[in-house]
Amino acid sequence: MTKKGLVLEGGALRGLFSAGVMDVLMEHNIDFDGVIGVSAGAAFGCNYKSRQPGRVIRYNKRLAHDWRYCSVRSLFTTGDLFGGEFCYHYMPEHIDVFNQGAFNANPMEFVVVCVNVETGEPVYKHLMHYDYATCEYIRASASMPLVAKIVELDGRKLLDGGIADSIPLAYFQQIGYEKNLVIVTQAQDYRKSHSRLTPLLKLGLRKYPNLIHAFDTRYIMYNKQLEFLAEQERAGKAFVVRPPEKLPINHICHDPDVMQQVYDTGRETALGQLDDIKAFLEL
């Protein structure tokens, strides 16, 4: 039986586009054998396994002006721009409750991608049951360097998985996923350029030269992944859902109306391609 996967790129709040796409897929009962998410793709993609359409846009709009969720104040008081304890523990337990039972009961495989700070290599963590460590792995996957603390788990120091594997289609194929729906958060003509933040990273994380190298060469890795994605799409092994044009949102946003616009773009894009997605997945 052909294994079907959902691959989710990151992009911080550009991930609201992916949330819109995923909600349409869930509403139309489109299931996958596994989901792999990077950064925001991990933080938002866990709601596919817990079967909670609408949750991502709901809590992002509700907390848009809450300093505990995302703010410079949070960065200076907690060490995390997106408050680690608040976002990944307090909020899902007390504000917009994450359905732990549904997550645990769903046989869908859920994988998050982090980067090992000491080696610069990707770490793929399979998370089948919800507990404190699960939340910490999702947090690590979405912890952007310089604006988030390093997360230590199972003897490893971890940060944002997008540094090492931004679009983990190849990994999913390697572990047996033959048909993959890939949601990216950049438009068709986007190509990544060399980051201007490398000098800051060299200063702030100078103890980790392998991480700095991975970050410095990320644009090369990312653009090669776009080429691979196009090849797999032409070969009929991947179906790519992407924004029709550059999304009107930055990594950070405190405007609920802009959040809604990006989310709605995801919904509209998914609805427009729904028949083709079903045909690709042989539904």
Side-chain angles (χ1 to χ4, degrees), residues 186-214:
Q186 298 282 12
Q188 175 78 53
D189 60 353
Y190 176 79
R191 294 298 180 274
K192 189 175 286 295
S193 57
H194 187 256
S195 177
R196 294 174 293 180
L197 296 176
T198 299
L200 287 176
L201 202 73
K202 288 180 178 178
L203 183 64
L205 292 166
R206 56 188 176 275
K207 293 193 298 182
Y208 306 107
N210 291 323
L211 176 74
I212 292 169
H213 177 73

Side-chain angles (χ1 to χ4, degrees), residues 49-52 55 92 97-104 130:
K49 184 169 165 63
S50 68
R51 292 288 192 266
Q52 290 179 277
R55 181 172 178 267
V97 177
F98 185 74
N99 193 333
Q100 302 179 26
F103 183 95
N104 293 340
Y130 185 94

Side-chain angles (χ1 to χ4, degrees), residues 256-269:
D257 291 336
V258 174
M259 293 178 177
Q260 186 70 50
Q261 180 184 351
V262 171
Y263 171 80
D264 288 343
T265 299
R267 290 192 61 90
E268 292 161 7
T269 302

Side-chain angles (χ1 to χ4, degrees), residues 121-153:
E121 295 296 320
V123 172
Y124 304 98
K125 184 65 177 179
H126 294 236
L127 303 169
M128 292 304 295
H129 298 283
Y130 185 94
D131 56 19
Y132 187 88
T134 294
C135 298
E136 286 293 282
Y137 268 105
I138 294 171
R139 173 188 172 191
S141 179
S143 289
M144 298 179 287
L146 300 176
V147 294
K149 294 181 293 188
I150 292 171
V151 181
E152 297 193 31
L153 288 163

Side-chain angles (χ1 to χ4, degrees), residues 7-237:
V7 179
L8 303 170
E9 183 187 14
L13 288 184
R14 290 200 313 272
L16 291 172
F17 170 84
S18 304
V21 175
M22 287 189 285
D23 283 356
V24 168
L25 299 179
M26 282 190 276
E27 290 162 7
H28 286 82
N29 299 311
I30 295 176
D31 292 325
F32 297 90
D33 298 295
V35 176
I36 186 167
V38 183
S39 195
F44 297 166
C46 60
N47 294 279
Y48 215 108
K49 184 169 165 63
S50 68
R51 292 288 192 266
Q52 290 179 277
R55 181 172 178 267
V56 172
I57 185 62
R58 184 173 62 238
Y59 74 70
N60 272 280
K61 289 175 64 176
R62 178 177 177 179
L63 300 173
H65 298 292
D66 192 319
W67 75 267
R68 299 171 298 173
Y69 184 62
C70 176
S71 68
V72 173
R73 179 180 173 186
S74 174
L75 178 61
F76 282 117
T77 57
T78 72
D80 293 304
L81 183 67
F82 285 89
E85 185 65 30
F86 179 80
C87 293
Y88 297 97
H89 299 288
Y90 185 82
M91 185 277 288
E93 293 179 13
H94 301 286
I95 294 178
D96 199 316
V97 177
F98 185 74
N99 193 333
Q100 302 179 26
F103 183 95
N104 293 340
N106 190 341
M108 175 190 292
E109 191 170 24
F110 183 63
V111 185
V112 302
V113 186
C114 308
V115 64
N116 184 319
V117 169
E118 295 177 313
T119 67
E121 295 296 320
V123 172
Y124 304 98
K125 184 65 177 179
H126 294 236
L127 303 169
M128 292 304 295
H129 298 283
Y130 185 94
D131 56 19
Y132 187 88
T134 294
C135 298
E136 286 293 282
Y137 268 105
I138 294 171
R139 173 188 172 191
S141 179
S143 289
M144 298 179 287
L146 300 176
V147 294
K149 294 181 293 188
I150 292 171
V151 181
E152 297 193 31
L153 288 163
D154 297 327
R156 295 177 294 202
K157 297 179 178 180
L158 306 173
L159 280 175
D160 188 339
I163 296 170
D165 191 351
S166 298
I167 308 172
L169 172 61
Y171 174 77
F172 236 27
Q173 290 178 334
Q174 289 167 12
I175 63 171
Y177 288 87
E178 300 170 82
K179 273 189 171 289
N180 291 285
L181 181 69
V182 184
I183 306 176
V184 297
T185 58
Q186 298 282 12
Q188 175 78 53
D189 60 353
Y190 176 79
R191 294 298 180 274
K192 189 175 286 295
S193 57
H194 187 256
S195 177
R196 294 174 293 180
L197 296 176
T198 299
L200 287 176
L201 202 73
K202 288 180 178 178
L203 183 64
L205 292 166
R206 56 188 176 275
K207 293 193 298 182
Y208 306 107
N210 291 323
L211 176 74
I212 292 169
H213 177 73
F215 186 86
D216 192 41
T217 58
R218 181 188 177 191
Y219 74 104
I220 300 172
M221 173 270 293
Y222 185 87
N223 292 335
K224 285 182 178 178
Q225 288 190 325
L226 290 180
E227 293 174 8
F228 178 72
L229 188 58
E231 291 171 1
Q232 297 305 296
E233 193 172 19
R234 288 192 295 268
K237 297 179 180 179

Side-chain angles (χ1 to χ4, degrees), residues 225-253:
Q225 288 190 325
L226 290 180
E227 293 174 8
F228 178 72
L229 188 58
E231 291 171 1
Q232 297 305 296
E233 193 172 19
R234 288 192 295 268
K237 297 179 180 179
F239 188 104
V240 184
V241 180
R242 53 171 60 88
E245 56 188 13
K246 182 179 178 181
L247 295 169
I249 197 168
N250 295 317
H251 278 75
I252 309 303
C253 178

